[in-house]
Amino acid sequence: MTEAVADDPSTTAQDGPAPIRLGTRASRLAVAQSQDVADRLAKASGRPVELVTVTSEGDTNRASLASLGGTGVFASALREALVADEVDVLVHSLKDLPTAPYPGLTIGAVPKRADARDVLVARNGATVETLPEGAKVGTGSPRRVAQLKADRPDLDVVDIRGNIDTRLARVDDDLDAVVLAAAGLGRIGRLDAATELLDLGFWPSAPGQGALAVEIRADETDRNLLAALRKIEHAPTRLTVTAEREVLAKLEAGCSAPIGATAVVDAEMLLVSATVYSPDGSEYRTASHAAVLDGSAQDRLDDAVSVAGRVAAELLENGAAELADLPGTAGPGSDEPDSGYTAGPGLATPAE
């Protein structure tokens, strides 16, 4: 039997290792991605991990995401449960997480990113190009609406809500196609439903799409849990999603704004590109910048924030705020590192 260690909450005298309580939404996708992280944490920590389901306003209110204040509505109830010590960790789709820090919480780990692309799921194997004129295409994302309209102004783009299975079912009912995230389809084993994978060059996806965030309390003292988080951290993913989300933050835009961003690391060079669209897709602004990566994990994150600031500043200089009705005001110092981005608790040298 494992002896309890007084200052280590990961052990108990009576029952062996204390389970790690992982908070998740109850949807099929949320449970699938949370279970994946749970399995990794269990292997890394040597402790059982139990899923604790939490219901958010986004799960019960069927209004459009834009009217609810964006996809951050899915995170609020989970975060309240973490602050209240009802769970030990949370798993979020990073694209759904607001860029503003939440008091008392921090991102403890960012596992390796899945496919960041969007996909089209259409009747008769159609692609965006071969959809019939006036075809009805469903999406709940203003960014995807703008991108579809930019490429095919004739399409009838329909605002939809619901889980992945609900959206897929509508392709056989009242819609000709839907646009979804490749990562989400992959995580529930339905990627075979995709009829076209949309290239990130013309169809940049939401900042952080395809990545997961494992959130913990900022004052977490469970040494076993912190060590396990270091093992599942993927430094290149944290770097790229930090850059993408910093563009969003500098533009002062919500996670449902018509903005696509892509960051990649190639031969120690970080390349960051972002596009801001008018809601109807008739106009857009794009900016790209790069930085040579060097130094510690924190130095590299600072570089990511700096280059993202330059991207946002150029977009604003070229009228992106007026185009998409954004409040962003990145000014002369906008390329300076934001001290709010850190390598995470104990993650100064995260695993590759």
Side-chain angles (χ1 to χ4, degrees):
M1 179 175 291
T2 304
E3 263 190 23
V5 179
D7 61 351
D8 187 351
S10 69
T11 57
T12 63
Q14 293 77 25
D15 305 314
I20 298 170
R21 301 165 298 168
L22 189 153
T24 178
R25 294 170 55 215
S27 73
R28 180 182 178 190
L29 174 58
V31 170
Q33 60 194 30
S34 293
Q35 188 61 59
D36 177 64
V37 172
D39 292 342
R40 297 190 202 188
L41 278 177
K43 181 178 180 180
S45 67
R47 294 161 62 187
V49 180
E50 59 182 33
L51 299 189
V52 179
T53 57
V54 179
T55 301
S56 71
E57 182 184 4
D59 296 310
T60 58
N61 191 324
R62 307 318 298 169
S64 70
L65 288 179
S67 68
L68 291 176
T71 47
V73 296
F74 293 122
S76 57
L78 288 166
R79 288 171 144 181
E80 289 168 7
L82 182 57
V83 169
D85 197 23
E86 296 170 4
V87 297
D88 302 306
V89 298
L90 302 175
V91 174
H92 304 281
S93 292
L94 196 48
K95 72 180 180 65
D96 294 340
L97 205 59
T99 56
Y102 193 93
L105 302 183
T106 190
I107 303 301
V110 179
K112 187 175 182 179
R113 190 179 203 168
D115 195 333
R117 291 175 292 180
D118 281 334
V119 302
L120 185 78
V121 179
R123 296 185 186 187
N124 304 317
T127 64
V128 174
E129 182 180 353
T130 62
L131 283 169
E133 186 173 352
K136 289 188 175 182
V137 182
T139 177
S141 161
R143 170 187 57 83
R144 291 171 178 156
V145 171
Q147 290 173 328
L148 287 165
K149 288 292 190 180
D151 192 50
R152 290 283 306 272
D154 63 291
L155 295 177
D156 180 9
V157 185
V158 180
D159 183 57
I160 61 172
R161 286 288 312 278
N163 60 36
I164 292 179
D165 291 321
T166 299
R167 297 183 187 212
L168 290 176
R170 293 191 63 176
V171 177
D172 294 322
D173 184 13
D174 62 326
L175 297 175
D176 295 292
V178 294
V179 181
L180 300 167
L185 284 177
R187 285 172 180 139
I188 66 168
R190 295 297 309 274
L191 191 56
D192 59 337
T195 57
E196 182 180 15
L197 286 162
L198 303 179
D199 184 79
L200 289 171
F202 188 80
W203 305 86
S205 55
Q209 183 164 308
L212 300 176
V214 185
E215 194 167 38
I216 60 173
R217 289 179 289 276
D219 61 356
E220 181 59 67
T221 59
D222 186 332
R223 297 176 306 213
N224 171 268
L225 172 58
L226 294 174
L229 290 171
R230 286 195 293 273
K231 292 179 181 177
I232 70 171
E233 167 82 1
H234 188 248
T237 294
R238 186 183 283 263
L239 192 67
T240 54
V241 298
T242 294
E244 293 170 8
R245 284 166 55 79
E246 177 66 5
V247 172
L248 198 64
K250 281 289 191 290
L251 294 175
E252 298 182 25
C255 41
S256 62
I259 297 170
T262 303
V264 296
V265 175
D266 184 15
E268 294 303 295
M269 179 81 71
L270 175 66
L271 309 172
V272 183
S273 177
T275 302
V276 177
Y277 302 86
S278 62
D280 64 359
S282 61
E283 294 185 71
Y284 58 88
R285 304 284 187 272
T286 297
S288 300
H289 287 270
V292 176
L293 298 170
D294 195 18
S296 68
Q298 186 61 57
D299 290 338
R300 293 157 74 92
L301 282 177
D302 290 343
D303 289 338
V305 171
S306 177
V307 70
R310 296 198 296 273
V311 170
E314 182 178 326
L315 287 169
L316 292 171
E317 288 169 6
N318 291 334
E322 294 78 15
L323 186 69
D325 194 24
L326 303 174
T329 56
S334 63
D335 60 343
E336 291 302 312
D338 183 337
S339 60
Y341 285 96
T342 67
L347 299 177
T349 54
E352 291 292 335

